[in-house]
Amino acid sequence: MKNRLRRLRVSEQMRSLVRENRVQTEDLIYPIFVIEGENIKNPVESMPGICQYSVDRLEEEMDRVKESGVLGVLLFGIPKHKDEVGSEAYREHGVVQEAVRYIKKNYPDILVIVDVCLCEYTSHGHCGLIADGKILNDETLPLLAKMSVSLADAGADIIAPSDMMDGRVGFIREKLDGAGFFDIPIMAYSAKFASAYYSPFRDAAHSAPGFGDRKTYQMDCANGREAMREIEADIWEGADMIMVKPALAYLDVVKEASLRFKLPLVTYNVSGEYALVKAAAEKGFIDEKRIVMENMTAMKRAGANIIITYHALDVAEWLKESLS
Ligand code: PBG
Ligand code: ZN
């Protein structure tokens, strides 16, 4: 009697029968960059296929989302004016607040997730307040909470803090509850690493730090065990969903988190990961569709429940094709 693993690979039907993981459109979240101003659709050079849109041009992109069947979008804002304290981040009529209102009015069934962080709104480009060249922790928390409440007021469905200040999940939870937003979940960027894979995003969102780097608040890429402490802390503080970011170079962290924690687990397939695939595909070095689907499957296999990805609309399209 011999074990022959190839018996289960003889045909597509047989392989499909024993397939352990599948990517579904419902797993995906699509990030969108909203820029203040009028009649703007700016392609992001390092991210082929991705553009910044002004609110009055969002319709085009949102129609594609609706058509795709993707359930949610993640919004980032690019304000006209930046200052030391990121005032535009928590202004009632700030760019993301307006985008949220527009989407919830015209596409009420699409989940609107908002990234909460100051770096796109501060003149220095850091995710928190600054004094003497240092990024302040506790002083930043009220501003993040103010931003969260202001976005919830505008109609956001999920608050996603990405700043990596200690204690922000608990602080934001308390202020959301205080404002009556008991039912708005927090998707915490829990294990967010200081990564070179964010650089295309920083072009897209105009959010590169003006001095230094983010290594005093984002995690050291060498630390997998510490990532478990970060996630644990966010769970204790009341996070409803946890995230590992970036995704592909950190699938060991995704795997361990999926085994250890029972909350919905999100992974963010970031801008640099997208840019690498798009650049190689444009050169004809790889087959884009097969590479992307393999990457998506790898994230699911590692244990991710939800994938934030710039490929979302393409993946949704390919999944439809494969059914027809
Ligand atoms: C803001 C934020 C960043 C990303 C998501 N939220 C950039 C950063 O931390 O510098 C990165 C997303 C991507 O690269 O696609 N803090
Ligand atoms: Zn930031």
Side-chain angles (χ1 to χ4, degrees), residues 115 117 119 162 192 198 201-202 214 218 245 271 310:
D115 185 271
C117 195
C119 56
S162 71
K192 177 172 175 181
Y198 306 150
F201 173 95
R202 292 178 189 169
R214 303 209 200 291
Q218 298 181 350
K245 176 188 172 190
S271 57
Y310 302 95

Side-chain angles (χ1 to χ4, degrees), residues 31 33 47 74 76 115-120 127 162-163 189 192-193 195 197-202 207-209 214 217-218 245 268-272 310:
F33 298 101
M47 301 174 71
L74 172 61
F76 296 97
D115 185 271
V116 166
C117 195
L118 296 182
C119 56
E120 294 126 64
C127 304
S162 71
D163 52 283
Y189 284 73
K192 177 172 175 181
F193 291 87
S195 169
Y197 283 101
Y198 306 150
S199 59
F201 173 95
R202 292 178 189 169
S207 67
R214 303 209 200 291
Y217 43 107
Q218 298 181 350
K245 176 188 172 190
Y268 196 146
N269 178 216
V270 298
S271 57
Y310 302 95

Side-chain angles (χ1 to χ4, degrees), residues 244-257:
V244 175
K245 176 188 172 190
L248 297 173
Y250 297 83
L251 289 184
D252 57 319
V253 180
V254 174
K255 182 72 193 179
E256 195 174 343

Side-chain angles (χ1 to χ4, degrees), residues 19-296:
R19 189 157 293 139
E20 299 174 26
N21 293 285
R22 286 192 164 77
V23 181
Q24 295 176 289
T25 298
E26 291 80 358
D27 302 327
L28 309 173
I29 293 170
Y30 184 59
I32 296 182
F33 298 101
V34 192
I35 188 164
E36 197 172 352
E38 271 139 54
N39 197 24
I40 304 173
K41 179 184 176 183
N42 275 340
V44 178
E45 204 190 325
S46 50
M47 301 174 71
I50 300 296
C51 299
Q52 306 164 329
Y53 291 90
S54 52
V55 175
D56 61 348
R57 293 285 299 270
L58 265 181
E59 184 180 1
E60 184 183 324
E61 191 76 326
M62 289 307 301
D63 283 349
R64 291 175 67 217
V65 174
K66 190 174 169 184
E67 177 65 21
S68 73
V70 165
L71 301 178
V73 294
L74 172 61
L75 301 183
F76 296 97
I78 306 144
K80 267 189 189 149
H81 304 289
K82 304 191 188 221
D83 61 26
E84 287 276 300
V85 295
S87 308
E88 286 295 308
Y90 34 88
R91 186 164 68 86
E92 188 186 349
H93 296 288
V95 60
V96 176
Q97 284 81 354
E98 291 300 304
V100 172
R101 287 188 190 97
Y102 169 80
I103 297 172
K104 288 319 294 185
K105 176 157 179 258
N106 296 286
Y107 306 85
D109 298 335
I110 293 177
L111 289 171
V112 176
I113 306 163
V114 286
D115 185 271
V116 166
C117 195
L118 296 182
C119 56
E120 294 126 64
Y121 305 90
T122 49
S123 42
H124 44 75
H126 276 289
C127 304
L129 292 177
I130 305 267
D132 303 326
K134 286 213 167 77
I135 291 83
L136 304 175
N137 194 89
D138 296 10
E139 292 80 352
T140 300
L141 304 183
L143 299 185
L144 297 168
K146 212 166 149 182
M147 181 177 184
S148 303
V149 171
S150 144
L151 290 163
D153 255 326
D157 296 298
I158 301 175
I159 302 295
S162 71
D163 52 283
M164 289 301 278
M165 298 301 129
D166 287 321
R168 91 271 204 220
V169 171
F171 200 96
I172 291 171
R173 183 72 270 159
E174 200 181 310
K175 298 294 173 194
L176 283 175
D177 290 353
F181 296 112
F182 308 101
D183 290 335
I184 304 283
I186 295 179
M187 175 189 282
Y189 284 73
S190 304
K192 177 172 175 181
F193 291 87
S195 169
Y197 283 101
Y198 306 150
S199 59
F201 173 95
R202 292 178 189 169
D203 298 336
H206 303 164
S207 67
F211 67 90
D213 52 40
R214 303 209 200 291
K215 290 182 181 169
T216 65
Y217 43 107
Q218 298 181 350
M219 290 188 59
D220 187 322
C221 73
N223 294 1
R225 292 196 302 147
E226 188 189 355
M228 299 305 117
R229 285 189 72 196
E230 281 283 2
I231 296 171
E232 241 157 44
D234 284 359
I235 295 173
W236 276 109
E237 290 175 31
D240 300 281
M241 302 179 223
I242 51 176
M243 192 193 302
V244 175
K245 176 188 172 190
L248 297 173
Y250 297 83
L251 289 184
D252 57 319
V253 180
V254 174
K255 182 72 193 179
E256 195 174 343
S258 82
L259 295 174
R260 221 188 259 224
F261 306 108
K262 302 305 163 208
L263 286 76
L265 176 59
V266 187
T267 193
Y268 196 146
N269 178 216
V270 298
S271 57
E273 299 174 322
Y274 176 83
L276 294 184
V277 171
K278 293 300 264 191
E282 278 183 0
K283 290 200 154 207
F285 292 170
I286 56 163
D287 178 332
E288 178 175 352
K289 177 176 165 182
R290 290 188 54 210
I291 290 272
V292 170
M293 292 312 292
E294 189 170 329
N295 284 347
M296 296 296 135

